[in-house]
Amino acid sequence: MAEAHQAVAFQFTITPEGIDLQLSHQALRQVYLSGLRSWKKRVTRLKVNTHYTVRGKHAINILLVPDCHGPDLLRQTASVVQLPGLFAQPGEIIIIDAEYERMTTLAKEFESSLGNRLQWYLKLKAMWASNYVSDWWEEYVYLRGRGPLMVNSNYYGMDFLYVTPTPIQAARAGNTLHACLLYRRKLNREEIKPVILNVPLCAAQCERIFNTTRIPGEETDSLIHWQDSEYVAVFHRGRYFRLWLYHAGRMLSPREIEHQIQHILDDPSPPVPGEAKLAALTAGDRIPWAQARKEFFSSGVNKRSLDCIEKAAFFVALDDDEQGMMGDDPAGNLDRYAKSLLHGKCYDRWFDKSFTVVLYKNGKNGLNAEHSWADAPIMAHVWEYVMTTDCFQLGYTEEGHCKGDVASSLPPPTRLTWDIPAECQERIERSLAVAQTLADDVDFHVLPIQDFGKGAIKKCKISPDAFIQIALQLAYYRNRGSFTLTYEASMTRLFREGRTETVRSCTSESCTFVRALEGGESKEVCRHLFRTAAEKHQHLYRMAMTGGGIDRHLFCLYIVSKYLGEESPFLKEVLSETWRLSTSQTPLQQVELFDFVNHPDYTTCGGGFGPVADDGYGVSYIIIGENMINLHISCKHSCPQTDSHKFGADIKKALMDLLELMSPEKPDPSRAEQNHLKNSKKDL
């Protein structure tokens, strides 16, 4: 998802002093630390599994998931030079013969010289650690990024598209927060049904859903996870509150949470100076935030209040705005809804928290999630459970309130207190200015496509994901007149602690098909080329899922080269290309929780992320049931070549054109009638 932005933009500095031997020592030390972290996690998980086995619980056993196998240097370097567009100039995808030969030579030189040395360190790490990629991916792609998390890294998830279960903000908050707690309880008891693709997927990322915060640092951030917190931090009209979700040893009921939220909504007290826009520090560049945190929030009342936010189970934002698909301009309002969840006002989301639940004045909700601790499918799994539990299990009274009673002994929510000096307020304003400029530049379009979905695609006997990805290639070609390097995220959770791999969706086969279709080739030729391109895409996706991708391996080779102080022209060129089209499918994982037949209006809208390249597009899509696809398209206003609405229209037309191309042909009625008459004459 949003990781593509970091994957091509990551920069870090490793400056150990001394000779090559000391550099090698630095690389070995990093391999050792990776293994040490891995074994510490194993011991912790073993204790947890033993604890719940004694209690008779059914665990999602992470220990049974296989380790990520060692990398294959020969296969990876060979794959690089076979993939079109890896080293293309902007606007070009097919490499000219001379360029291809040059890159082939670089790849072979790398494989026979420096590559073998780097590979040795990776093989050592693969033997010692559970996963030779994931810890470095988390650190260098996410935590060492010094730019804003907002838009660049964080992503969002939406509410139901057509339904708002209650118009009462506090009531929606009551059910939503209670459902989050129910999910956490099931998670702690290891009662969450594992996601299975022939074998259970690794659930390691679930460990940091709750009670987790990203802490800014001047060189690198860190992720801190606490034991279960019994409260949430709430933001409303510039004030911060602590809301306890447990009382007298029990979880608050939805009605009790509604009562407490209403107390916050009714509180007339104003924010103190500097409080209202404090969260802008989490929206701007990381170094100024790290410096301000150290200087102004390391002691006293400010530290206590900041600790309260960072140690909360999650963050809650109560917005005064109304959002959703509503009014005289439902499409435009849907776009504004997406931007609100992605960046809000740049100071009303705590972008460092693992996730922020956003609740709007008209009862609509949504979430904003930080990306470093886990990938989007993890948070999507939580949100599917929360939405369906809210509506189908907890429900509301006829008046729209949560069900149940309120205990009279509940203590009210408490205001957090701050003493923010003028100098800190100036830094807040500077961070806000950076964030506001970034947010204003985001061009976003959410496009629900009805009466077209998995059902129609399956009749064409084509993989739905391959169908959509090739449609994106066709749409981009029509939109820009060229092809481009394309990023599709694939999960690697078949391996322990696996995260993602890149599927390079722009292939020679897809380019050949698009050119044939746009060049007026016959329907038979285009159909054949389309199926060939779809089969190639499916093959690449399977390879990525099962450890046969190339990008994470090249990334890790590059990390080792930096620790060794070695420069590789091959790796430098491989990792310098821009992903102008970054794509991700949001999978619907718990289909059994939805009932699209009896409750078709209760349709999840999915979520999206910000643009990856300044002159490119970000596209997230979710396939809903048999008859709907929702697209979330982002780009930047500052680029005259991009327009989210136009690209959305291009994608929709491409999907329809491909469906028409691949749909089984209906028999000609007149010809059928003539055959019938001939057969009748023969019978006579």
Side-chain angles (χ1 to χ4, degrees):
M1 205 179 206
E3 68 200 21
H5 183 279
Q6 302 298 105
V8 297
F10 77 94
Q11 293 182 352
F12 61 96
T13 303
I14 301 170
T15 57
E17 301 294 335
I19 59 174
D20 183 65
L21 179 62
Q22 290 175 309
L23 291 170
S24 299
H25 173 75
Q26 183 79 351
L28 287 171
R29 182 174 182 273
Q30 293 303 313
V31 170
Y32 167 75
L33 292 176
S34 293
L36 189 63
R37 287 191 293 265
S38 176
W39 281 99
K40 284 182 177 179
K41 288 181 180 178
R42 291 188 186 203
V43 171
T44 300
R45 289 168 186 154
L46 182 61
K47 290 179 179 178
V48 170
N49 276 287
T50 302
H51 171 70
Y52 282 110
T53 299
V54 170
R55 294 179 58 184
K57 301 296 181 184
H58 301 285
I60 304 174
N61 199 332
I62 300 170
L63 297 175
L64 299 180
V65 180
D67 287 353
C68 185
H69 58 68
D72 184 338
L73 181 64
L74 176 61
R75 181 182 63 200
Q76 309 296 30
T77 53
S79 298
V80 169
V81 295
Q82 291 172 1
L83 288 173
L86 182 56
F87 311 107
Q89 298 301 316
E92 297 292 337
I93 194 65
I94 302 301
I95 309 172
I96 61 175
D97 291 343
E99 180 71 1
Y100 183 85
E101 289 300 322
R102 186 181 72 84
M103 287 311 309
T104 301
T105 301
L106 281 178
K108 288 181 178 179
E109 290 176 353
F110 173 76
E111 181 187 347
S112 62
S113 56
L114 178 60
N116 284 321
R117 185 182 175 201
L118 305 181
Q119 182 78 350
W120 182 84
Y121 286 96
L122 287 191
K123 285 186 175 180
L124 185 64
K125 185 182 180 186
M127 289 187 291
W128 171 235
S130 298
N131 191 297
Y132 82 93
V133 178
S134 293
D135 62 329
W136 284 354
W137 185 254
E138 178 179 297
E139 180 177 358
Y140 295 114
V141 170
Y142 291 112
L143 298 180
R144 291 212 182 201
R146 300 294 80 199
L149 303 183
M150 187 197 76
V151 175
N152 291 334
S153 183
N154 285 30
Y155 57 93
Y156 70 86
M158 281 186 165
D159 193 5
F160 291 113
L161 182 59
Y162 302 114
V163 174
T164 305
T166 176
I168 302 174
Q169 184 178 20
R172 192 74 197 280
N175 271 9
T176 300
L177 270 57
H178 186 80
C180 288
L181 295 181
L182 292 177
Y183 188 95
R184 186 175 71 170
R185 185 169 67 184
K186 290 171 70 71
L187 184 67
N188 289 345
R189 295 176 177 178
E190 302 199 0
E191 296 172 345
I192 301 292
K193 182 180 178 181
V195 179
I196 297 178
L197 295 179
N198 294 325
V199 297
L201 301 185
C202 179
Q205 294 181 50
C206 298
E207 295 171 347
R208 297 185 291 186
I209 295 174
F210 299 94
N211 328 306
T212 300
T213 298
R214 178 168 172 165
I215 305 296
E218 293 193 36
E219 292 186 3
T220 183
D221 292 355
S222 57
L223 277 172
I224 307 297
H225 175 72
W226 289 273
Q227 294 299 318
D228 277 359
S229 175
E230 296 190 345
Y231 68 89
V232 291
V234 181
F235 178 87
H236 177 244
R237 291 184 181 172
R239 297 90 43 84
Y240 290 86
F241 296 82
R242 184 206 298 258
L243 171 59
W244 291 97
L245 298 176
Y246 290 80
H247 178 66
R250 64 172 179 83
M251 186 188 304
L252 295 191
S253 70
R255 184 70 182 91
E256 289 173 325
I257 298 175
E258 176 188 353
H259 174 80
Q260 299 290 71
I261 291 291
Q262 192 62 52
H263 191 284
I264 293 174
L265 294 174
D266 295 339
D267 189 317
S269 60
V272 301
E275 180 183 15
K277 299 178 181 179
L278 173 63
L281 290 170
T282 72
D285 291 322
R286 302 304 290 172
I287 293 176
W289 172 209
Q291 293 170 341
R293 188 178 188 276
K294 183 178 180 180
E295 188 171 347
F296 303 110
F297 298 90
S298 59
S299 63
V301 64
N302 288 346
K303 183 181 187 304
R304 290 193 294 272
S305 293
L306 181 61
D307 283 349
C308 180
I309 293 173
E310 293 179 339
K311 295 180 180 180
F314 51 93
F315 194 77
V316 179
L318 301 175
D319 279 22
D320 281 338
D321 300 331
E322 296 186 356
Q323 297 290 351
M325 195 173 182
M326 59 187 185
D328 297 332
D329 183 19
N333 285 329
L334 201 55
D335 297 344
R336 286 185 282 275
Y337 177 26
K339 281 178 63 69
S340 174
L341 289 172
L342 182 66
H343 54 67
K345 297 176 182 177
C346 303
Y347 58 80
D348 51 358
R349 318 277 184 258
W350 199 270
F351 293 101
D352 288 356
K353 284 299 292 182
S354 54
F355 68 97
T356 294
V357 173
V358 184
L359 295 134
Y360 295 100
K361 187 176 181 179
N362 60 338
K364 216 68 183 166
N365 71 7
L367 66 88
N368 180 287
E370 201 276 320
H371 207 326
S372 64
W373 60 273
D375 301 307
I378 301 299
M379 202 62 233
H381 193 278
V382 178
W383 201 237
E384 288 173 10
Y385 176 88
V386 169
M387 286 195 300
T388 53
T389 300
D390 168 16
C391 296
F392 301 137
Q393 295 185 30
L394 300 176
Y396 299 89
T397 66
E398 292 183 1
E399 295 77 20
H401 293 284
C402 296
K403 298 177 181 178
D405 299 317
V406 179
S408 58
S409 59
L410 286 181
T414 55
R415 274 283 305 271
L416 302 187
T417 55
W418 308 91
D419 182 13
I420 302 175
E423 184 181 351
C424 183
Q425 294 178 41
E426 291 176 3
R427 298 194 193 183
I428 292 171
E429 290 297 330
R430 288 200 291 268
S431 290
L432 179 59
V434 170
Q436 194 67 60
T437 300
L438 181 60
D440 291 344
D441 198 23
V442 175
D443 176 13
F444 223 105
H445 183 43
V446 180
L447 178 62
I449 302 177
Q450 299 177 336
D451 301 323
F452 176 85
K454 185 168 57 178
I457 296 174
K458 286 192 298 186
K459 290 179 182 178
C460 303
K461 298 182 179 179
I462 299 287
S463 157
D465 186 69
F467 192 101
I468 294 173
Q469 284 292 328
I470 296 173
L472 290 173
Q473 295 301 314
L474 177 59
Y476 190 90
Y477 185 82
R478 289 171 172 175
N479 185 271
R480 300 290 288 271
S482 62
F483 300 102
T484 191
L485 192 63
T486 304
Y487 183 108
E488 181 186 7
S490 165
M491 67 86 189
T492 54
R493 289 167 58 205
L494 290 170
F495 301 99
R496 183 185 290 126
E497 297 176 18
R499 292 203 56 163
T500 61
E501 177 58 275
T502 304
V503 180
R504 294 171 172 259
S505 301
C506 186
T507 62
S508 296
E509 290 80 359
S510 66
C511 294
T512 301
F513 162 71
V514 169
R515 284 199 177 95
L517 185 66
E518 294 300 278
E521 290 286 351
S522 68
K523 195 170 186 178
E524 290 73 18
V525 169
C526 290
R527 279 185 168 188
H528 172 72
L529 293 175
F530 183 84
R531 292 194 181 280
T532 301
E535 289 169 3
K536 178 61 176 289
H537 180 81
Q538 281 187 278
H539 172 71
L540 291 177
Y541 203 99
R542 292 191 192 103
M543 290 292 289
M545 286 180 60
T546 55
I550 66 171
D551 285 274
R552 300 302 177 268
H553 182 198
L554 294 172
F555 161 78
C556 288
L557 290 170
Y558 180 72
I559 298 297
V560 176
S561 75
K562 298 298 286 186
Y563 276 114
L564 292 176
E566 297 280 1
E567 289 294 329
S568 167
F570 171 73
L571 290 177
K572 184 177 181 180
E573 198 152 356
V574 167
L575 297 171
S576 64
E577 283 295 319
T578 301
W579 306 91
R580 288 186 176 83
L581 183 56
S582 177
T583 71
S584 179
Q585 179 183 173
T586 302
L588 189 62
Q589 302 168 81
Q590 302 167 91
V591 181
E592 69 278 3
L593 298 181
F594 297 86
D595 186 352
F596 298 122
V597 176
N598 297 316
H599 300 285
D601 289 341
Y602 287 83
T603 299
T604 176
C605 197
F609 54 93
V612 170
D614 291 339
D615 58 349
Y617 292 102
V619 181
S620 175
Y621 53 94
I622 182 171
I623 302 172
I624 305 295
E626 299 294 305
N627 301 305
M628 175 174 276
I629 296 175
N630 290 332
L631 298 168
H632 300 251
I633 305 159
S634 64
C635 59
K636 292 191 174 183
H637 289 297
S638 57
C639 177
Q641 287 81 38
T642 58
D643 184 309
S644 65
H645 286 74
K646 186 179 184 303
F647 192 47
D650 290 338
I651 296 172
K652 184 174 182 179
K653 187 176 187 308
L655 288 168
M656 297 305 174
D657 288 349
L658 293 185
L659 182 61
E660 181 180 357
L661 172 70
M662 300 305 296
S663 294
E665 293 186 359
K666 297 180 179 179
D668 186 348
S670 60
R671 183 174 297 178
E673 186 176 347
Q674 291 174 4
N675 292 334
H676 176 70
L677 289 173
K678 287 181 180 179
N679 292 332
S680 298
K681 289 179 180 179
K682 288 180 180 180
D683 293 340
L684 291 173

